[in-house]
Amino acid sequence: MMREDNVGGEGVVTTTLQVQPGLMRGRVVSEDDALVRSDPIGRCFLAFAKQSSKLFVVPFSTSRVCNAYSDPKEMLKTEQTFWIDLEEFGIRNVKDIVFCEGTFEPTIVVIYEPIQTWSGRVAIHANTVFAASFTIDTFKRSSKKIWTVSSLPYDAFLCLAVPEVGGGGVVLVCASSILQIRNGVVTSGLYTNSCGESLIKLMEDAEALSTGPISKAGCIADLETAKACLLRDSGPECSVVLSLKGGELYLLTLPPPSSRGGMQMIRGSSSVPAAQVVAFRDNFFVLASRLSVSVLVEYKSKRETLQNGESHPVVCGEDEDMQEVFDENETEEPQQTVTSWSLKKRDALPMMGPAADMCIGRNERAEAEEEEPVPEGEQKTPKFFEELEVVTGGGMGSSGGVTILERSLRAEYVTKRDAIQLQGYRSAWTLGDPFARKVARKARERRNTSSRTRNERIRKTNEQLLASKESWKIAQKAEREKLLRDQMQQRKVEREEKEMSEEDKRKEEEEDETVLVDAIENMKRDIDRAAEEQFALQVEEPLEETPVDEDELNSYLLLSANDSTVVLETGLEITELVEVDFRVDCPTLTVGNVLGGRASVQVHKEGARLLKGRRLILDHALPYDSGIVGAQVLDPYILLRLENGLVAVVKVEADEEAAQAESQGKDITSALAFGESLMDEYGGGLNGLDELEEDESIPNVKVTQVFVTDVHMHGFVTAACLYYGPFEKSRFADSPVSSTTGNEDVASMEEDEEEYLLYGKIEDQVPMSVDMEEAGKRDSLEEAGLLLVANREGELEIFETETFELIVRCRRFYLGPTTLADEGEAAGAVTPDADLRQDGGAPRVVNLTMAPVGPNGHGFRKVPVLAAVFQHGQVMVYLGFSVPEECTKGELSGRSRMRFRKIVCDDVVEQRGESIRLVSFRNVGERAGIFVTGKRPFFIFADRGYPRLHPLRIRPDSEVTDFAEIHNVICPHGFVTVELDGTVRIGALPGLDDVVLDSLWPLRRINLRCTVSHFAYHAQTSTYGILASHYVPQARDSVRKSIKEFSSQVQLEKEKGEAQGLTVSGVEEDSADASALGTKDPRKFTGSLPTLMQEKHELRLYRPDTWELLKTHSLKDFEVGLAVTSTVIDVYKVSKPAKESPRAQQQKGEAAPSLFATSVKLRPKHMLVVGTGYLKGEDSSSRGRLLMFEVSKQERFVGDQKVSTFQMQLIAERELKGQVSAVQALQGYVVVGVGPKVEVYKLVEDEIVCCSFFFAQLFCTSITSLKQYVIVGDMFKSISFLYWRDRNKSLNFLGKDYQPLQTYATEFLLHNDDLSLVASDGLGNIQLFNYENATVAESRGGTRLLANGGFHLGSRINKFQRVRAYGNMAEDSKGASQQLTMYSTLNSGLGALVPVSEKTFQLLSALQAKLAQSPDLPHLGGLNPREFRKFRPERTSHQLLNQRLVSAGLMGSASFPFDCSKHATYFVLYSLMATFC
């Protein structure tokens, strides 16, 4: 299958799809079994399954040479596929395949191992890998073997093609060595440890090497499972970058063909563990990771000649971010002539990581916020899901951590709740005033000058106080010390007078000396304390810092009501202004800055006012009969939408000639006008010019007015907006692109083709690519101005602001098409929805905006985003783009290359509120975007060029009516929201480095520098208990010692003198590793083996607000944390101790009283329960432990600040005869999975006592409980359903699934009174089970769980979690709260299962069936949406009894029209799909 980008705007579409049933031979293969490789110059590509022996080749049908001038459409046409049977050439167990470069015919190199070896046979069969080269004739559909290389190291796993400039051939990467093969001969190589050295010697004995140099690497490394990529633009030599499994980067330099030197390998840096390394463009490569963030790295190389003894470091970036991803290291053996490298991190693409575990906890910041006041007689509205956060783990080692996802953006408000309460005000705007900023700057400088003067006086006073304090302290210390010594001397005299032995005198003297020293120390502390109180230093006043982006500070905040306007001054405090020239006796439509911020415009219903600061310059009254109903200010234009459906655009610009006249002292009164000919008619005048100060320079303005209705506008206008931002001018070209370039290339193409047929190669070929320099020029967007108009008929028209020429007209905009394009001016065209338009049923656009969206700075560019609100509250978002310049006008419809692609986001597109507004902003949280008001307001951001919609968290019973950005001293680059009740809030959003918005949900990545496996949320203390691990170096001697201790079999064989398996002698311990590889001299292994790393597991306690590590409990050696849960456990106490021991009572024939009979229930405790297992090898039994930790939190006040301290104490532990793989709470008890058994434990004082047990089937993988019901998931035998009876402390079997199932996770699904069981398996399926009584025939007497639903997700679900529903699904018809079941997948995905009523389910099922048959539904990846989601059982005989699962993702990918007659139905669909997250 091949895919390409459709220039018409439909995105990536499938162009070729071929199915080969024999490729897999009916086997179920893993993700790593398939190999797909393409020819470097695009002649063919091949597909191979490692479990199969057939190599499928798909040739491209090209009539001319594939180079930079080739037509991609011709190159992507495929011919009939043929296959090559590798077994005919004796090839089995293929490890890797690669295409060679610089060959006349497609040539491949296959790395295979015909006879496999293993660790116990390495001493005999070590070099078992072969390399074979084949040529593929795509015309004759045949292949031919060229050469074969044998006796290669058994640990070879990766092959890279070397370009022709580097001599050709391939580079073979092994776990301990690297070899270069040219024309069937190993020409050079190196080994990275002593294991590789022994394998190289075996190759020399087998005469598999040429005379090329095989050297020792300058660093010791283990290359197992490393990822590598060839750097093509790395200088005169070819270089390879290798990323090891631990994240270490190594740079390998290959010798030139004419050189006799060897390879050079140096340690580069440490980064993320990469799943793939890809080099592209000039001097860039990407470390693509599935476990952590993906990093874009820029590299530079140059040749250097070093003196003897000089070290050769790899130069890394100097910014702070690089220190976390890259760290410098040096080579151990520097060379004379080496390649110097410089690596710099340019960008990082964060990810959630494989969600092996998921936890839902309460947001700590939500708890810290002040509680909302609740009026009397009303109940507080629960927030449910909005207060929760989803925590998942990801990464490995130093790049490991947690990812925190929240459903909505949480702003940090600088004003307290209801601090600004203005009843009736619904709109807000902010303005900047250069004069006010200048006044504020001078005031700040005056305050800082006064502060510096006072601080200077304070410093002088403090110096005097310090001098006096030191003198006083010296005098006091001398006086008191003398007094103490006099007292000691007096005691000595008294002692001499007494009759005492010399020994007693000596003891008393020593005691007196000790007392004297302590007294002197106490005296000094008392004097220092008294000096600090008596000579207290004065504190200097802090200076006011210059605000960030001072020239962009806002000075005024305008709020508008239905009948008035209020003006507020925004400084250090927010105060109301009374004496202003703004019109405050009427509502304001819009306010904005013009003339580069030197003036401002206020638009009201009757006209507009032009002001400088607070002073009026011009008052413009409209000459029309109809008033203004909408307006927008976008410097230098003012857009006015009138009641009669017309649109007027006014342009404000400065008069430079008047400015020169003003500088010469001439009269400038005549230069201020709304157009020279319209001065008298419009009544423009001068107000207050003589009252302005001299330094208040008045801008000289000249205003021109243009009516868009005079330039061919269609219909009554319902919404309009202005746009100025990135858009290429080439998008507005109305003629085809010049074809001179293509004509000039014809001759060169013919010459290239002739040269190719004669000589077999073309110089400077750039296959399947374009010129990067030219592509970079096309990517640079220019600024352009547009006018967008939506009329009553549902059409969208776009004009250019320079000439007001119509460039785009979309007649079906009201239908919400997937792509918007110009439909031209086809006269007399009758659309199928003409009846709908005549009836007035087409949804009307009530608000429209278009703005550049994206981050400010940071190397990212903004993209044009179009948003529209329809009369029913539906919000549509489109991304603007243009088709490539190579496409001519004849290939595309319309007069413009401008296109808009619809962004589908079903979660927040349906909005409700009194008046929904679209507000664009330039800088809020370092981002530019669009804000949509309403009951569920949301932002539109595009951090990486793709729009994302993120809701803003507000009070559940509130509604945002307006939004404005504000840049103030107290809130830099923040925003202002006005709510329905008149509450005005000022807040700020997290910055670019604090939260990632390029995802469906906002996420924060916290690097914990450890591998996170499991975690649980402790609700009582609001902390997270995390099972983590990290690697620590381990000495080989200790490993050998532990092996001797744990292996009794080896001990016995050593005593008998029989060397079998792994034997270690006391004299030659190093020979143990040498004998495994056949090395005779064990001394060569000293210091040449990679460092052994041991994984240490521990339980960590974190607080969620700062993610500070609070407590740590380390597990034992070889002990692994397998499960953790937070639960409430009942604590019991033994009431009456037994008079005799239980054994004595048994000897007497009496029954020993158990702890059940002698224990009473005390109180419950919130605990963390951990299940572990020991991994000591096959020679030791499998055991584990059950640990219980009590977590407590104490709060105290230090001054006015509340300080919290946390404690984690191990209460009880018990060793079990098996690994504890699952832990869950069960009504005050703990139910655990220990191998094939399910056991229930309770806590009696500090002892864990078993209450009950149940034998499952093979091995428990998951346990889920709900009240007294328990689900047990087995590794291979599906699930079992149990019932806990507390009366007799027993687990009772209810039913199970008799079909084989590799269970990953289980959970309950609740809906009213119905209880269902959900399970996921290893094939990526979700199954829904139900328990029925014995009257149902299929239930086998009630012991069989009925499979009533199956769904193929395509990803393995490893965790389910029930959570209370929100939104429209929060309550059912009876008012009961509903629950949804969230899940996380190993492919970094999140989703949810939502229960619905039977009627709704039938509606969704019917809609899904219709959509699956629709030809317009996109088939992503060539997959049929119906067949791909069909349940895939392990056995074909497994049949579902019913199908009660329906996919919302299928309906979300469809584009629904906005037909009024069906609008209510679609609202139900969208509201349901919103709960699927």
Side-chain angles (χ1 to χ4, degrees):
M1 183 196 68
M2 294 187 303
R3 314 193 71 193
E4 68 173 357
D5 191 6
N6 184 9
V7 297
E10 298 296 337
V12 181
V13 297
T14 303
T15 58
T16 301
L17 180 62
Q18 296 188 11
V19 180
Q20 299 295 336
L23 183 61
M24 300 299 158
R25 284 189 173 182
R27 297 185 178 94
V28 178
V29 298
S30 62
E31 297 176 356
D32 298 331
D33 286 337
L35 292 177
V36 178
R37 300 290 185 266
S38 61
D39 185 56
I41 56 177
R43 292 171 290 191
C44 64
F45 76 91
L46 55 88
F48 178 77
K50 292 183 179 180
Q51 296 185 1
S52 174
S53 62
K54 293 183 179 180
L55 181 67
F56 288 85
V57 182
V58 182
F60 293 111
S61 59
T62 54
S63 58
R64 50 175 60 189
V65 183
C66 299
N67 53 23
Y69 307 103
S70 301
D71 186 2
K73 294 183 178 180
E74 290 189 21
M75 298 170 62
L76 291 178
K77 294 180 180 179
T78 59
E79 294 181 351
Q80 184 63 33
T81 302
F82 65 96
W83 54 271
I84 302 171
D85 192 358
L86 297 180
E87 287 188 354
E88 297 180 357
F89 301 94
I91 297 178
R92 295 183 299 274
N93 303 321
V94 176
K95 293 189 171 185
D96 198 8
I97 301 176
V98 67
F99 273 94
C100 295
E101 297 190 13
T103 58
F104 178 76
E105 290 182 337
T107 305
I108 62 173
V109 175
V110 182
I111 307 299
Y112 63 99
E113 189 176 12
I115 302 177
Q116 292 180 324
T117 185
W118 58 291
S119 58
R121 300 281 293 175
V122 170
I124 301 176
H125 298 284
N127 292 8
T128 57
V129 173
F130 287 66
S133 178
F134 297 86
T135 60
I136 300 176
D137 192 342
T138 58
F139 297 99
K140 295 182 180 180
R141 305 179 185 276
S142 61
S143 62
K144 180 180 179 182
K145 181 185 288 189
I146 303 178
W147 49 259
T148 302
V149 179
S150 61
S151 300
L152 297 176
Y154 75 97
D155 53 3
F157 61 93
L158 183 63
C159 191
L160 299 174
V162 180
E164 192 175 2
V165 295
V170 294
V171 172
L172 184 65
V173 182
C174 310
S176 303
S177 58
I178 301 177
L179 304 174
Q180 186 175 5
I181 304 175
R182 295 175 182 167
N183 298 325
V185 178
V186 181
T187 58
S188 63
L190 56 82
Y191 53 89
T192 58
N193 51 53
S194 297
C195 298
E197 182 181 4
S198 62
L199 295 176
I200 295 298
K201 289 184 178 181
L202 292 178
M203 292 179 59
E204 293 176 350
D205 297 340
E207 297 181 357
L209 293 178
S210 67
T211 57
I214 305 295
S215 59
K216 178 182 179 181
C219 46
I220 301 175
D222 183 10
L223 305 180
E224 184 180 5
T225 69
K227 304 299 179 181
C229 179
L230 189 73
L231 304 180
R232 299 181 179 273
D233 300 322
S234 57
E237 300 176 349
C238 294
S239 301
V240 178
V241 58
L242 295 100
S243 177
L244 274 58
K245 58 184 177 182
E248 302 87 357
L249 284 181
Y250 285 86
L251 297 164
L252 176 69
T253 304
L254 304 179
S258 60
S259 173
R260 293 189 176 183
M263 297 181 181
Q264 295 179 4
M265 181 176 176
I266 60 176
R267 167 72 183 271
S269 51
S270 294
S271 181
V272 297
Q276 192 71 27
V277 183
V278 180
F280 70 102
R281 299 193 66 163
D282 298 332
N283 301 326
F284 286 97
F285 66 87
V286 176
L287 298 174
S289 176
R290 298 180 60 185
L291 301 177
S292 183
V293 298
S294 298
V295 182
L296 174 64
V297 182
E298 180 184 10
Y299 65 90
K300 295 180 181 179
S301 63
K302 63 178 180 179
R303 299 288 293 177
E304 291 183 353
T305 302
L306 304 179
Q307 302 296 330
N308 293 331
E310 287 186 1
S311 61
H312 175 246
V314 175
V315 182
C316 297
E318 299 178 356
D319 52 342
E320 296 181 358
D321 295 339
M322 291 294 298
Q323 302 303 326
E324 298 183 0
V325 183
F326 299 106
D327 52 357
E328 298 184 2
N329 204 336
E330 298 182 358
T331 58
E332 297 180 358
E333 297 182 5
Q335 305 293 333
Q336 292 294 329
T337 303
V338 296
T339 303
S340 176
W341 294 88
S342 174
L343 302 178
K344 291 184 180 180
K345 173 189 171 184
R346 291 304 185 187
D347 193 13
L349 185 63
M351 68 169 298
M352 189 176 66
D357 198 4
M358 175 185 63
C359 179
I360 298 179
R362 174 75 182 275
N363 192 297
E364 184 69 14
R365 291 177 294 172
E367 297 179 358
E369 291 180 357
E370 185 180 352
E371 292 294 334
E372 295 285 347
V374 181
E376 281 188 39
E378 296 184 7
Q379 296 182 355
K380 182 179 177 181
T381 304
K383 301 173 184 178
F384 300 140
F385 201 81
E386 295 294 339
E387 293 183 352
L388 303 181
E389 59 184 14
V390 181
V391 182
T392 63
M396 184 180 67
S398 59
S399 62
V402 297
T403 302
I404 305 166
L405 299 99
E406 297 182 58
R407 184 60 202 94
S408 58
L409 276 174
R410 191 180 303 274
E412 298 180 2
Y413 292 99
V414 298
T415 56
K416 295 182 179 180
R417 297 185 184 275
D418 300 335
I420 305 177
Q421 189 75 27
L422 300 174
Q423 193 70 26
Y425 288 89
R426 304 293 180 84
S427 304
W429 301 271
T430 56
L431 289 175
D433 185 3
F435 179 70
R437 289 194 291 263
K438 184 177 180 181
V439 172
R441 187 186 306 112
K442 291 182 178 180
R444 183 178 66 253
E445 292 176 356
R446 286 195 300 268
R447 290 192 297 268
N448 287 340
T449 303
S450 301
S451 299
R452 292 189 187 95
T453 304
R454 287 192 294 270
N455 291 341
E456 187 64 26
R457 291 198 301 266
I458 291 173
R459 280 192 292 269
K460 292 181 180 180
T461 304
N462 290 340
E463 290 176 0
Q464 297 175 1
L465 290 175
L466 287 175
S468 302
K469 183 173 68 173
E470 292 298 328
S471 302
W472 184 83
K473 288 169 60 176
I474 293 173
Q476 290 291 326
K477 289 179 181 179
E479 181 181 353
R480 295 189 183 184
E481 186 175 355
K482 181 180 179 182
L483 181 60
L484 290 174
R485 293 190 180 278
D486 291 344
Q487 293 177 358
M488 292 296 106
Q489 186 65 26
Q490 182 66 26
R491 294 190 60 179
K492 182 177 181 182
V493 173
E494 293 176 357
R495 192 166 46 250
E496 291 293 339
E497 294 177 354
K498 295 180 180 180
E499 294 181 0
M500 301 176 61
S501 62
E502 295 295 332
E503 183 67 22
D504 294 339
K505 288 182 180 180
R506 187 179 59 80
K507 289 183 179 179
E508 286 192 4
E509 288 178 359
E510 292 178 355
E511 291 177 359
D512 292 345
E513 188 67 26
T514 304
V515 171
L516 178 62
V517 172
D518 295 340
I520 291 175
E521 292 295 332
N522 294 333
M523 177 265 296
K524 290 181 178 179
R525 286 195 294 268
D526 294 340
I527 292 175
D528 292 340
R529 190 182 304 110
E532 293 294 337
E533 295 177 357
Q534 185 175 354
F535 300 93
L537 300 180
Q538 300 181 17
V539 181
E540 297 183 4
E541 297 181 3
L543 300 180
E544 297 183 22
E545 298 181 356
T546 303
V548 181
D549 299 333
E550 185 178 8
D551 295 336
E552 300 178 3
L553 288 176
N554 298 125
S555 304
Y556 308 114
L557 172 63
L558 276 74
L559 302 175
S560 176
N562 294 331
D563 56 353
S564 62
T565 300
V566 64
V567 183
L568 305 177
E569 185 178 12
T570 58
L572 295 176
E573 297 180 356
I574 299 178
T575 58
E576 183 178 356
L577 298 178
V578 179
E579 297 181 358
V580 292
D581 290 342
F582 289 95
R583 186 166 179 180
V584 296
D585 59 344
C586 66
T588 300
L589 296 179
T590 189
V591 175
N593 287 107
V594 293
L595 300 178
R598 293 177 296 168
S600 59
V601 174
Q602 179 191 17
V603 181
H604 49 87
K605 186 176 181 180
E606 300 175 358
R609 284 192 174 191
L610 182 65
L611 304 96
K612 175 170 176 55
R614 311 177 189 177
R615 306 297 179 85
L616 178 64
I617 299 178
L618 295 175
D619 191 359
H620 170 50
L622 288 178
Y624 325 116
D625 296 334
S626 61
I628 304 175
V629 295
Q632 180 188 1
V633 177
L634 185 62
D635 192 16
Y637 297 101
I638 304 173
L639 173 64
L640 305 176
R641 186 167 60 87
L642 308 179
E643 292 179 349
N644 56 9
L646 302 179
V647 171
V649 177
V650 180
K651 184 176 181 181
V652 181
E653 59 184 6
D655 194 342
E656 301 297 338
E657 297 181 357
Q660 296 178 1
E662 179 185 8
S663 63
Q664 298 175 4
K666 299 181 180 180
D667 186 13
I668 62 171
T669 304
S670 60
L672 297 173
F674 275 92
E676 297 179 359
S677 60
L678 303 178
M679 174 67 183
D680 297 333
E681 181 181 355
Y682 290 168
L686 303 176
N687 296 328
L689 281 179
D690 52 350
E691 300 178 3
L692 297 177
E693 299 179 3
E694 294 182 357
D695 56 349
E696 295 185 59
S697 58
I698 304 174
N700 305 298
V701 297
K702 178 182 179 182
V703 181
T704 60
Q705 182 164 313
V706 179
F707 288 92
V708 183
T709 53
D710 296 336
V711 288
H712 195 64
M713 176 169 290
H714 306 82
F716 186 94
V717 176
T718 59
C721 70
L722 290 170
Y723 169 81
Y724 186 79
F727 242 129
E728 295 178 355
K729 290 185 177 180
S730 61
R731 300 174 187 238
F732 312 119
D734 53 358
S735 61
V737 178
S738 176
S739 59
T740 55
T741 304
N743 295 333
E744 292 174 357
D745 295 337
V746 173
S748 60
M749 282 294 301
E750 294 177 354
E751 295 177 0
D752 291 343
E753 185 175 358
E754 183 178 357
E755 183 180 358
Y756 177 79
L757 295 176
L758 290 176
Y759 305 107
K761 70 175 183 178
I762 301 176
E763 299 295 336
D764 299 330
Q765 288 185 354
V766 188
M768 303 291 289
S769 63
V770 296
D771 190 353
M772 294 303 175
E773 183 177 357
E774 294 296 331
K777 293 180 180 179
R778 291 196 300 267
D779 290 341
S780 60
L781 300 181
E782 300 179 0
E783 302 292 328
L786 300 174
L787 170 63
L788 291 84
V789 175
N791 55 33
R792 185 181 295 171
E793 286 72 19
E795 298 180 352
L796 175 67
E797 297 175 338
I798 302 178
F799 300 85
E800 186 180 2
T801 55
E802 294 294 333
T803 60
F804 291 98
E805 178 186 357
L806 180 64
I807 57 176
V808 172
R809 184 184 182 189
C810 181
R811 303 188 179 188
R812 297 196 174 195
F813 180 63
Y814 74 99
L815 291 177
T818 305
T819 303
L820 297 180
D822 181 32
E823 299 179 4
E825 296 292 342
V830 179
T831 58
D833 57 341
D835 297 336
L836 182 61
R837 294 192 180 187
Q838 292 176 4
D839 298 338
R844 185 174 67 254
V845 179
V846 297
N847 209 329
L848 185 70
T849 189
M850 182 176 174
V853 179
N856 295 318
H858 296 270
F860 298 101
R861 71 178 187 183
K862 297 181 177 63
V863 294
V865 175
L866 170 64
V869 180
F870 287 82
Q871 61 184 1
H872 298 291
Q874 189 69 31
V875 181
M876 289 195 303
V877 182
Y878 286 87
L879 172 63
F881 68 100
S882 66
V883 298
E885 295 182 359
E886 291 79 4
C887 299
T888 62
K889 183 178 179 181
E891 297 176 354
L892 302 174
S893 62
R895 74 201 89 186
S896 172
R897 288 195 292 269
M898 184 185 302
R899 297 291 185 272
F900 293 90
R901 181 182 296 126
K902 186 178 181 181
I903 305 301
V904 178
C905 185
D906 302 314
D907 199 358
V908 293
V909 293
E910 191 69 31
Q911 191 60 276
R912 285 291 178 264
E914 291 189 359
S915 60
I916 302 174
R917 299 184 181 181
L918 302 173
V919 183
S920 61
F921 53 87
R922 294 177 298 175
N923 194 343
V924 173
E926 304 179 44
R927 298 175 176 90
I930 300 174
F931 183 83
V932 183
T933 65
K935 289 187 176 181
R936 197 182 184 195
F938 60 90
F939 291 92
I940 301 176
F941 293 113
D943 284 2
R944 297 184 180 274
Y946 187 84
R948 300 287 188 179
L949 281 62
H950 296 289
L952 173 67
R953 181 182 180 272
I954 61 173
R955 295 176 300 175
D957 56 346
S958 181
E959 177 185 345
V960 175
T961 59
D962 205 357
F963 175 94
E965 62 176 318
I966 184 172
H967 181 46
N968 199 331
V969 178
I970 60 175
C971 185
H973 297 303
F975 63 89
V976 178
T977 58
V978 182
E979 298 182 1
L980 188 62
D981 57 356
T983 303
V984 180
R985 303 183 188 274
I986 300 178
L989 291 180
L992 287 172
D993 300 331
D994 300 330
V995 64
V996 177
L997 299 181
D998 188 37
S999 59
L1000 293 179
W1001 286 14
L1003 63 89
R1004 292 182 292 130
R1005 176 77 178 179
I1006 308 297
N1007 188 8
L1008 303 181
R1009 305 189 67 83
C1010 62
T1011 303
V1012 178
S1013 55
H1014 303 278
F1015 36 81
Y1017 176 72
H1018 194 265
Q1020 188 181 26
T1021 59
S1022 299
T1023 56
Y1024 285 95
I1026 295 180
L1027 286 177
S1029 63
H1030 62 280
Y1031 288 92
V1032 294
Q1034 191 177 19
R1036 292 184 178 272
D1037 294 338
S1038 62
V1039 176
R1040 297 189 184 101
K1041 184 178 179 180
S1042 62
I1043 292 176
K1044 289 177 60 178
E1045 294 176 354
F1046 285 116
S1047 179
S1048 58
Q1049 181 69 25
V1050 174
Q1051 295 273 354
L1052 182 62
E1053 291 177 351
K1054 178 181 178 182
E1055 293 176 359
K1056 295 179 180 180
E1058 299 177 359
Q1060 296 180 359
L1062 178 62
T1063 60
V1064 181
S1065 62
V1067 180
E1068 298 179 352
E1069 291 186 350
D1070 289 334
S1071 63
D1073 295 304
S1075 61
L1077 294 173
T1079 304
K1080 300 179 180 180
D1081 189 1
R1083 291 175 294 178
K1084 293 184 179 180
F1085 285 87
T1086 304
S1088 299
L1089 290 175
T1091 304
L1092 288 180
M1093 305 297 290
Q1094 182 181 3
E1095 190 175 12
K1096 302 289 290 186
H1097 292 257
E1098 58 189 9
L1099 174 65
R1100 297 184 177 186
L1101 188 68
Y1102 287 92
R1103 58 184 304 169
D1105 51 353
T1106 60
W1107 283 96
E1108 173 189 359
L1109 178 60
L1110 301 175
K1111 298 294 178 179
T1112 302
H1113 179 83
S1114 299
L1115 302 181
K1116 297 181 180 181
D1117 292 339
F1118 306 105
E1119 189 178 15
V1120 179
L1122 300 178
V1124 61
T1125 185
S1126 175
T1127 180
V1128 179
I1129 299 178
D1130 294 333
V1131 181
Y1132 292 82
K1133 182 180 180 180
V1134 178
S1135 59
K1136 295 181 180 180
K1139 297 181 180 179
E1140 295 181 356
S1141 64
R1143 183 174 296 276
Q1145 295 180 3
Q1146 291 178 1
Q1147 291 177 357
K1148 294 180 180 180
E1150 300 178 1
S1154 65
L1155 293 179
F1156 297 114
T1158 60
S1159 60
V1160 293
K1161 186 184 210 181
L1162 292 181
R1163 66 189 185 280
K1165 285 187 178 181
H1166 295 262
M1167 291 189 180
L1168 288 176
V1169 184
V1170 179
T1172 67
Y1174 289 97
L1175 298 179
K1176 297 182 179 179
E1178 298 179 356
D1179 54 349
S1180 62
S1181 61
S1182 176
R1183 303 186 71 86
R1185 287 197 303 165
L1186 182 64
L1187 309 175
M1188 293 186 181
F1189 296 87
E1190 183 180 4
V1191 182
S1192 59
K1193 177 181 179 181
Q1194 296 83 28
E1195 295 181 349
R1196 58 189 176 89
F1197 285 88
V1198 179
D1200 296 336
Q1201 186 177 6
K1202 184 171 65 173
V1203 179
S1204 301
T1205 56
F1206 299 85
Q1207 297 292 333
M1208 184 177 66
Q1209 183 180 2
L1210 177 62
I1211 299 298
E1213 63 175 318
R1214 176 165 179 165
E1215 186 170 350
L1216 304 178
K1217 297 180 180 180
Q1219 297 180 348
V1220 183
S1221 57
V1223 178
Q1224 191 60 254
L1226 181 63
Q1227 292 188 335
Y1229 300 90
V1230 178
V1231 55
V1232 299
V1234 185
K1237 290 198 306 180
V1238 180
E1239 300 177 351
V1240 180
Y1241 291 90
K1242 75 172 185 177
L1243 180 62
V1244 181
E1245 294 181 354
D1246 58 349
E1247 184 178 357
I1248 303 175
V1249 181
C1250 182
C1251 302
S1252 177
F1253 64 89
F1254 174 82
F1255 279 96
Q1257 302 193 54
L1258 292 180
F1259 189 84
C1260 297
T1261 58
S1262 67
I1263 295 179
T1264 307
S1265 65
L1266 177 64
K1267 293 185 178 181
Q1268 66 269 30
Y1269 297 100
V1270 180
I1271 305 176
V1272 179
D1274 192 82
M1275 180 182 292
F1276 295 105
K1277 295 295 184 178
S1278 192
I1279 65 174
S1280 301
F1281 191 35
L1282 310 178
Y1283 179 81
W1284 165 254
R1285 183 174 286 108
D1286 193 16
R1287 183 182 60 224
N1288 57 358
K1289 304 295 186 296
S1290 63
L1291 280 173
N1292 300 275
F1293 173 76
L1294 295 180
K1296 69 175 183 178
D1297 179 30
Y1298 289 90
Q1299 297 293 336
L1301 186 69
Q1302 187 178 357
T1303 310
Y1304 272 45
T1306 57
E1307 189 51 271
F1308 291 95
L1309 185 62
L1310 302 177
H1311 180 56
N1312 298 334
D1313 298 334
D1314 297 333
L1315 178 65
S1316 301
L1317 286 66
V1318 183
S1320 63
D1321 59 15
L1323 298 179
N1325 298 315
I1326 300 177
Q1327 287 195 63
L1328 182 67
F1329 297 93
N1330 289 99
Y1331 175 74
E1332 299 291 346
N1333 53 30
T1335 58
V1336 181
E1338 293 84 358
S1339 65
R1340 297 184 183 179
T1343 61
R1344 177 192 176 189
L1345 297 177
L1346 303 182
N1348 287 328
F1351 183 79
H1352 181 68
L1353 189 64
S1355 300
R1356 297 177 179 90
I1357 298 176
N1358 207 53
K1359 180 68 174 181
F1360 285 106
Q1361 183 74 42
R1362 283 183 293 110
V1363 65
R1364 190 174 300 180
Y1366 70 101
N1368 297 328
M1369 292 295 297
E1371 296 182 355
D1372 60 2
S1373 59
K1374 300 180 181 180
S1377 60
Q1378 296 293 307
Q1379 292 185 350
L1380 57 88
T1381 302
M1382 295 190 64
Y1383 60 82
S1384 62
T1385 69
L1386 297 180
N1387 291 341
S1388 304
L1390 286 178
L1393 295 173
V1394 183
V1396 296
S1397 63
E1398 183 178 0
K1399 182 178 180 181
T1400 304
F1401 175 78
Q1402 293 176 358
L1403 176 63
L1404 295 177
S1405 299
L1407 181 59
Q1408 177 180 271
K1410 292 294 183 180
L1411 290 175
Q1413 300 174 0
S1414 175
D1416 299 331
L1417 190 69
H1419 290 199
L1420 302 179
L1423 300 175
N1424 185 280
R1426 180 178 57 182
E1427 294 297 327
F1428 176 69
R1429 296 302 183 187
K1430 184 180 294 185
F1431 175 65
R1432 302 181 183 181
E1434 294 188 4
R1435 293 182 179 178
T1436 56
S1437 60
H1438 184 193
Q1439 300 293 332
L1440 297 176
L1441 299 179
N1442 295 294
Q1443 179 56 274
R1444 298 181 181 177
L1445 291 176
V1446 63
S1447 172
L1450 178 61
M1451 291 174 285
S1453 62
S1455 178
F1456 295 103
F1458 296 99
D1459 190 342
C1460 291
S1461 60
K1462 302 178 181 180
H1463 180 76
T1465 302
Y1466 294 133
F1467 167 69
V1468 173
L1469 295 178
Y1470 274 102
S1471 63
L1472 290 175
M1473 287 186 287
T1475 60
F1476 278 79
C1477 306

